[in-house]
Amino acid sequence: MTVSSLKLHYLEWGDPGHPGLLFLHGGSAHAHWFDAVAPAFADRYHVVSLDQRGHGESEWAKPPAYATENFSDDLQGLLDGLGWSQAIVVGHSMGGHNAMAFSAWHPDRVRALVVVDSRPSIPEERLKQMHARGHRALRLHPTREQAVAAFRLLPRETVADPRLLAHLASVGVVGRTGGWVYRFDPECNRSRRPTDTGRLLSRITAPALVVRGEWSPVLTRDMATRVVETIPTARWVEIAGTYHHLVLDAPAAFVRALSEFLTSLK
């Protein structure tokens, strides 16, 4: 689908006649991050997992355009293209950041919001590190196997099934002249301009669930509490024994938590 002059790729499950359920991956990730989760909802929802601009099989923005507003505009265009008046939006990390902003800016388009281990704002030092990483060229690997073997999460801590990680790595690389690289535009780090969504949280009107990994170094319990206290009708749940990438660490537990929340909407 072409949105904002960019070709955006997405994965799809379920009947288009069902309510829309949209999954948004984190930074440097891709739509397949939810492969162990999304099919569980295909019997009740029209499920879409988006490769956000600059990620996966979606186009890179030329010139670079990776502000929160750009990602939000893409979501509005995607919903329009899918014929969804509203969607339940589930975002992990960067995807959660974009989902919070979209829910505040376009409350009429969001049936419910699920924020998965995502903090409202990026600390200045962390943002500087992200921009610095964006100056590094993508590492070119001689073979697909070597590219897959070099795959690492960021943050690296995880208890995910190695087979799931190998799957993410395999679908996350692509052949280029001279070798294989990860499907990601470095400019998405170098030119990232995130909005401070902490200032927007009170504008979110949709029912909201904040999901935190018990051992996450990203979203602290205090921060999760502040988010829930600021978003009207929000609550939070913690997934035991997981780190930041909790949808990979414990997909079954995440499916249960999300299912319980979705059931409460009816």
Side-chain angles (χ1 to χ4, degrees), residues 115-163:
V115 179
V116 185
D117 217 81
S118 176
R119 51 192 169 197
S121 60
I122 301 177
E124 184 177 352
E125 186 58 33
R126 173 75 177 86
L127 189 58
K128 287 180 180 178
Q129 294 172 356
M130 183 186 299
H131 290 165
R133 279 205 313 275
H135 287 272
R136 305 173 194 166
L138 289 174
R139 184 178 175 186
L140 189 66
H141 300 274
T143 67
R144 181 189 184 97
E145 292 71 23
Q146 287 175 294
V148 169
F151 175 77
R152 298 290 185 275
L153 298 177
L154 186 67
R156 291 194 176 190
E157 298 90 354
T158 184
V159 291
D161 187 331
R163 293 170 297 181

Side-chain angles (χ1 to χ4, degrees), residues 189-233:
N189 280 332
R190 182 177 178 178
S191 304
R192 181 83 175 277
R193 291 194 291 113
T195 293
D196 181 0
T197 58
R199 301 176 180 178
L200 302 174
L201 296 180
S202 62
R203 294 166 54 179
I204 296 173
T205 58
L209 176 69
V210 176
V211 187
R212 178 183 181 270
E214 179 187 12
W215 302 327
S216 172
V218 175
L219 182 66
T220 66
R221 286 177 179 172
D222 286 346
M223 192 180 301
T225 299
R226 288 197 299 272
V227 171
V228 168
E229 289 175 345
T230 309
I231 300 177
T233 72

Side-chain angles (χ1 to χ4, degrees), residues 27-58:
S28 305
H30 49 72
H32 288 279
W33 230 253
F34 296 98
D35 280 0
V37 169
F41 300 94
D43 61 330
R44 293 159 283 167
Y45 295 95
H46 181 196
V47 184
V48 166
S49 184
L50 174 68
D51 275 330
Q52 296 179 85
R53 60 168 57 208
H55 295 72
E57 296 182 53
S58 287

Side-chain angles (χ1 to χ4, degrees), residues 3 71-81 84 102 106 109:
V3 176
F71 290 105
S72 178
D73 288 346
D74 288 347
L75 298 184
Q76 186 171 18
L78 177 72
L79 265 61
D80 289 343
W84 292 355
F102 182 73
H106 303 282
R109 306 302 302 269

